[in-house]
């Protein structure tokens, strides 16, 4: 079922979450068993992230370095199939511009359609860690709005080559990313919103936000998005802080601020266990306030570790 249908079938706030494919060499069984407790809260959908290739350097006996491209977390499509099979809920694969040309994107969408996926989160992706800036593949997409256009084109029976035009129409519901604290490359919020609107104008039907720790930032973002003439649902992304490392890693990686009252509590913590307790309590308060204003869904960034999300959902749902 489409995410938009899940959202319009109820006026209650839904529970949903995102997982990462396991590192290459680790088992899917552990991941699926790990998220099983979260089924208690009836998630109508689970997102599965996509991880593009990274470059590693292999040293040869003659001292030369060989640059090798490798994917550390492959398996997004397979995990989606496994989730739908095991839990009978929708799985939403993330699909990137980065690392794909248009032909590969088209073929990936055909695979997703054939396994029964109804929704896709369309993203640009970032540059590989060893590269400074995002560079599209030759004949690939530069921005997420172009990817949205291709997916919506297939929904209208438009394939890349003329001979397949007027063929089978897919029917994907397309989601896109939004940034309450602005995307880090955008020179201003107004600029960022202009391109968020472009994604929606091209056919995106819902927005999932980057994580935020200050609800006021989400409320102001929603207000500005509406002022910009964007009317699709905006699903807030929630991430409980669970380790000492995340206190500095999350702001650095995702370009966001931790509010002072949260930092005051986190600074008193000496261990991961103490941080997790503070992080869970903060997220519970955030979620309770968001439920009060009837956000469409609370979408948890679990990073494939379910225990903190479980503890929060138990208090909120
Ligand atoms: P875009 O919407 O293309 O925007 C990128 C930047 O370009 C923005 O600054 C925007 O303002 C600007 N821009 C957009 N269009 C134009 C245009 N036409 N002309 C000029 N400027 C433009 N990354 C992964 O690798 N895998 C994942 O699974 C993944 N999942 C995510 C899920 C969510 C909910 C979120 C919020 C992010 C996720 N990301 C993921 C990270 C995402 O790929 C990065 O944040 C990336 O840098 C931007 O992606 P986007 O789709 O928002 O890009």
């Amino acid at each position: 079922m489409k995410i938009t249908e899940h959202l319009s079938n109820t006026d209650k706030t839904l529970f949903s979450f995102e997982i990462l494919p396991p590192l290459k060499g680790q088992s899917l069984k552990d991941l699926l068993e790990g998220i099983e407790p979260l089924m208690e809260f009836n998630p109508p959908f689970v997102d599965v992230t996509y991880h593009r290739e990274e470059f590693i350097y292999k040293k040869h006996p003659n001292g030369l370095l060989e640059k090798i491209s490798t994917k550390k977390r492959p398996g997004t499509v397979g995990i989606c199939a496994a989730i739908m099979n095991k839990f009978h809920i929708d799985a939403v694969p993330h699909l990137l511009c980065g690392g794909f040309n248009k032909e590969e994107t088209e073929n990936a969408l055909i695979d997703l359609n054939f396994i029964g996926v109804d929704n896709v989160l369309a993203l640009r992706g970032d540059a590989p860690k060893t590269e400074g800036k995002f560079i599209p593949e030759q004949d690939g997409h530069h921005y997420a709005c172009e990817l949205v256009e291709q997916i919506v084109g297939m929904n209208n029976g438009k394939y890349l080559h003329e001979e397949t035009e007027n063929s089978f129409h897919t029917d994907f519901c397309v989601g896109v990313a939004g940034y309450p604290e602005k995307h880090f490359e955008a020179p201003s919020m107004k600029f960022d919103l202009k391109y968020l609107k472009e994604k929606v104008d091209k056919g995106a039907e819902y927005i999932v936000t980057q994580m935020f720790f200050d609800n006021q930032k989400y409320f102001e973002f929603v207000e500005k998005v509406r002022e910009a003439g964007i009317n699709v649902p905006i699903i807030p992304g929630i991430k409980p802080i669970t380790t000492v490392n995340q206190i500095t890693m999350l702001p650095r990686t995702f370009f966001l601020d931790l509010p002072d009252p949260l930092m005051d509590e986190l600074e008193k913590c000496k261990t991961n266990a103490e941080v997790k307790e503070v992080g869970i309590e903060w997220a519970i308060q955030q979620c309770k306030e968001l439920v009060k204003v009837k956000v469409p869904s609370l979408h948890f960034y679990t990073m494939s570790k379910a225990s903190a999300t479980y503890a929060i959902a138990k208090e909120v749902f």
Side-chain angles (χ1 to χ4, degrees):
M1 200 195 271
K2 293 184 177 194
I3 301 304
T4 45
E5 291 174 276
H6 285 299
L7 300 181
S8 60
N9 280 349
T10 177
D11 59 356
K12 286 207 184 107
T13 297
L14 298 172
F15 166 78
S16 57
F17 62 94
E18 175 192 286
I19 56 170
L20 281 62
L23 286 166
K24 198 184 271 185
Q26 290 182 0
S27 98
L28 176 59
K29 188 168 163 278
D30 293 346
L31 172 64
L32 295 181
E33 282 175 7
I35 61 172
E36 194 146 17
L38 298 178
M39 296 302 143
E40 183 181 327
F41 309 107
N42 300 316
F45 62 93
V46 174
D47 275 48
V48 185
T49 55
Y50 191 93
H51 299 260
R52 65 175 301 178
E53 76 284 2
E54 291 176 32
F55 296 110
I56 53 169
Y57 290 88
K58 190 176 164 190
K59 195 166 186 184
H60 287 284
N62 62 5
L64 289 177
L65 292 175
E66 187 188 356
K67 188 179 178 186
I68 296 172
S69 163
T70 179
K71 280 188 183 157
K72 291 191 175 164
R73 293 181 185 271
T76 301
V77 178
I79 294 172
C80 285
I83 286 174
M84 294 190 296
N85 213 7
K86 185 172 167 71
F87 300 116
H88 307 288
I89 59 175
D90 282 299
V92 184
H94 293 187
L95 195 61
L96 303 184
C97 303
F100 284 79
N101 63 33
K102 290 177 195 159
E103 172 77 16
E104 288 161 340
T105 299
E106 186 169 273
N107 293 336
L109 288 164
I110 290 170
D111 272 341
L112 293 173
N113 175 261
F114 284 178
I115 63 166
V117 163
D118 292 329
N119 306 279
V120 175
L121 195 74
L123 301 145
R124 189 196 68 180
D126 286 313
K129 280 187 191 124
T130 44
E131 318 266 304
K133 71 187 238 268
F134 178 84
I135 299 172
E137 293 303 295
Q138 199 175 355
D139 197 32
H141 296 302
H142 297 72
Y143 296 107
C145 59
E146 298 166 11
L147 176 58
V148 174
E149 197 170 19
Q150 183 176 7
I151 304 168
V152 172
M154 281 178 69
N155 285 349
N156 292 316
K158 192 163 177 269
Y159 289 73
L160 290 174
H161 304 296
E162 270 176 28
E163 62 271 22
T164 37
E165 261 187 39
N166 304 316
S167 316
F168 173 72
H169 293 213
T170 55
D171 191 17
F172 291 109
C173 171
V174 186
V176 289
Y179 301 84
E181 299 181 58
K182 187 179 82 55
H183 184 261
F184 71 100
E185 290 168 25
S188 72
M189 182 57 105
K190 192 173 166 203
F191 179 97
D192 209 18
L193 289 175
K194 176 169 137 187
Y195 290 112
L196 179 60
K197 182 159 187 324
E198 186 155 336
K199 292 192 275 194
V200 174
D201 288 347
K202 297 252 190 257
E205 293 181 78
Y206 71 99
I207 295 164
V208 183
T209 78
Q210 183 56 277
M211 64 185 77
F212 56 89
F213 294 87
D214 178 352
N215 284 352
Q216 204 47 42
K217 298 240 165 94
Y218 170 81
F219 298 141
E220 285 165 14
F221 176 69
V222 172
E223 211 176 298
K224 285 185 193 140
V225 170
R226 299 301 178 225
E227 277 167 18
I230 301 168
N231 296 311
V232 299
I234 305 170
I235 299 175
I238 304 295
K239 164 81 184 91
I241 295 185
T242 53
T243 65
V244 173
N245 179 45
Q246 287 174 3
I247 300 172
T248 47
M249 183 276 280
L250 295 175
R252 199 173 55 235
T253 309
F254 299 107
F255 302 91
L256 45 84
D257 284 342
L258 300 185
D260 289 337
L262 172 59
M263 267 316 293
D264 291 345
E265 291 308 308
L266 289 171
E267 275 181 310
K268 293 177 199 157
C269 300
K270 302 261 178 309
T271 63
N272 285 342
E274 287 169 5
V275 168
K276 189 171 175 180
E277 203 175 312
V278 169
I280 288 174
E281 188 48 40
W282 184 267
I284 289 172
Q285 298 315 322
Q286 261 194 291
C287 291
K288 284 187 172 168
E289 190 180 23
L290 291 166
V291 168
K292 260 195 205 149
V293 299
K294 297 197 169 175
V295 296
S297 185
L298 292 173
H299 189 69
F300 289 89
Y301 293 111
T302 67
M303 295 186 171
S304 297
K305 294 198 168 57
S307 66
T309 301
Y310 184 90
I312 299 159
K314 199 82 187 150
E315 290 295 316
V316 176
F317 290 96

